[in-house]
Amino acid sequence: MPKIKTNRAAAKRFRRTGTGKYMFAKSHASHILTKKTRKRKRALRKQQVLDATNRKAVKRMLPYG
């Protein structure tokens, strides 16, 4: 069987945890931060766990982890 290519765009955006879940960083945290509240900016720093509905698609794009 030939090797499956990893989707490089997905590889830069998602990382796999030890338990097999996928983590990603939230968007809207890079610029125009003056109008955003402290609470909102603090929440944007945190990594999020990918929900189950999108897990299958990401798993297909990242075949090797």
Side-chain angles (χ1 to χ4, degrees), residues 26 38-48:
K26 289 184 183 176
R38 261 182 254 130
K39 182 180 179 180
R40 186 173 163 194
K41 287 185 277 191
R42 200 163 50 241
L44 289 171
R45 280 187 226 139
K46 298 174 186 173
Q47 295 269 311
Q48 290 291 110

Side-chain angles (χ1 to χ4, degrees), residues 3 6-7 9 12-13 15 21 24 28 31-32 34-38 42 45 55-57 60-61 63-64:
K3 293 179 183 176
T6 297
N7 182 309
K12 291 166 189 171
R13 287 164 176 78
R15 63 182 185 83
K21 294 173 186 171
F24 67 96
H28 308 294
H31 63 101
I32 315 173
T34 50
K35 63 173 79 170
K36 292 168 189 159
T37 62
R38 261 182 254 130
R42 200 163 50 241
R45 280 187 226 139
R55 197 175 299 141
K56 188 179 176 183
R60 199 179 299 128
M61 288 188 271
Y64 304 108

Side-chain angles (χ1 to χ4, degrees), residues 16 22 50 54-65:
R16 198 161 173 211
Y22 290 94
L50 191 73
N54 296 313
R55 197 175 299 141
K56 188 179 176 183
V58 173
K59 196 174 183 181
R60 199 179 299 128
M61 288 188 271
L62 303 172
Y64 304 108

